């Protein structure tokens, strides 16, 4: 029988469009990254072909029970953290920034989203004792606090901007509005840096146990390449939050995405036809993201292209979850 396998996904950053779409094909203001979490399937017997000849050649002895338990705990915390950061309490920072950038483009401001209570979420983001080093745990706690302070500041400035927009008696050619928008953007950059640093630390630790969890698994290559693909989706989302996206960095993402998709798709695929079909559908959806990214690099990341990226990222996540369910049936 095939060993139990815990497959998980990265926290996906997809590309939130501005509050309203002007319909123009001109370069739109860079919009914010909205985080979505793909739920992992429960660990179960994997329905892959249990043929020793299909298993990858591993160096070294198999992991111990203690190593597997530690890896499972780390992956569980990764998913907890990713899920917490996908909560509206945190993603409202992205919504507010997208609304502000649209305001600077069209001089219309959407209502501020409700804040909610971030204390329970902050507790879920606390590093479990012994899982990270003391320095990492302190840094993670500080990043969580930086996110809270940034959100409070953004909401306060957003309220001020709302009052400014509604006050028809003010005649200053938008000076105060632009100043408030600049404050919000500067604070959002601090928020984004803290969030990226936090998740980067957790992702790096989660990636370090992939070899443990996938030791000897026939679909190891396919699963690891899928992780790379989702990481490149998130990298794209992060790059497209900038007012002037780094074109060279986006070109590098496209090149890496092409390489990962090619490696993920090459035979053999040692699994049942249903499992392979599900994985091929994931590759098809991911290729649509690659094509949309290439189109954006050629024509500009206006709203229709961002929508295509959104749809392809969401489709890839859904298709991969089908693969997970097929590979790990109840």
């Amino acid at each position: 029988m095939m060993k139990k396998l815990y497959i998980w996904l990265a926290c996906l950053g997809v590309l939130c469009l501005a509050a309203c779409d002007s319909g123009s094909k001109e370069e739109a203001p860079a919009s914010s990254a909205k985080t979505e979490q793909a739920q992992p399937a429960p660990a179960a017997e994997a329905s892959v072909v249990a043929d020793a000849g299909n298993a990858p050649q591993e160096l070294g002895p198999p992991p111990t029970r203690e190593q597997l338990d530690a890896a499972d705990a780390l992956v569980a915390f990764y998913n907890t953290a990713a899920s917490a950061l996908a909560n509206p309490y945190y993603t409202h920072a992205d919504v507010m920034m997208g609304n502000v950038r649209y305001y600077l483009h069209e001089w219309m401001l959407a209502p501020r989203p409700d804040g909610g209570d971030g204390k329970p979420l902050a507790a879920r983001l606390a590093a479990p004792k012994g899982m990270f080093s003391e320095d990492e745990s302190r840094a993670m706690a500080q990043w969580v606090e930086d996110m809270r302070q940034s959100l409070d500041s953004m909401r306060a400035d957003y309220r001020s901007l709302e009052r400014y927009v509604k006050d028809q008696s003010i005649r200053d050619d938008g000076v105060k509005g632009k100043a408030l928008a600049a404050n919000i953007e500067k604070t959002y950059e601090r928020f984004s840096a803290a969030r990226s640093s936090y998740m980067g630390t957790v992702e790096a630790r989660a990636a370090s146990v992939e070899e443990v969890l996938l030791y000897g698994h026939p679909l190891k290559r396919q699963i690891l390449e899928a992780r790379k693909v989702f990481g490149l989706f998130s990298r794209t989302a992060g790059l497209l939050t900038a007012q002037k996206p780094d074109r060279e960095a986006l070109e590098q993402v496209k090149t890496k995405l092409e390489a990962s998709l090619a490696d993920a798709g090459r035979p053999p695929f040692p699994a049942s036809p249903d499992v392979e079909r599900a994985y091929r559908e994931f590759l098809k959806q991911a290729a649509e993201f690659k094509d949309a990214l290439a189109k954006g690099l050629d024509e500009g990341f206006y709203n229709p292209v961002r929508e295509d990226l959104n749809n392809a990222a969401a489709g890839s996540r859904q298709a991969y979850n089908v693969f997970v369910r097929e590979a790990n049936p109840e």
Side-chain angles (χ1 to χ4, degrees), residues 99-110 161 164-165 173-179 181:
N99 291 347
V100 167
R101 286 173 174 165
Y102 186 79
Y103 162 75
L104 292 173
H105 190 61
E106 300 290 345
W107 305 112
M108 293 186 293
L109 184 68
L161 183 58
Y164 170 80
V165 171
D173 294 325
V175 172
K176 184 176 180 180
K178 291 177 182 177

Side-chain angles (χ1 to χ4, degrees), residues 97 100 104 150 153-154 156-158 160 176-190:
M97 191 66 252
V100 167
L104 292 173
S150 297
S153 178
M154 287 182 70
D157 283 336
Y158 200 99
S160 297
K176 184 176 180 180
K178 291 177 182 177
L180 287 168
N183 287 343
I184 292 171
E185 181 161 18
K186 185 176 181 180
T187 307
Y188 177 71
E189 289 174 356
R190 291 198 297 270

Side-chain angles (χ1 to χ4, degrees), residues 224-235:
L224 292 181
E225 291 303 329
R227 288 273 290 159
K228 291 180 185 178
V229 167
F230 285 119
L232 292 168
F233 285 3
S234 294
R235 174 64 173 157

Side-chain angles (χ1 to χ4, degrees), residues 215-226:
Y215 183 94
H217 195 280
L219 295 180
K220 179 177 179 178
R221 167 172 54 86
Q222 287 83 358
I223 294 168
L224 292 181
E225 291 303 329

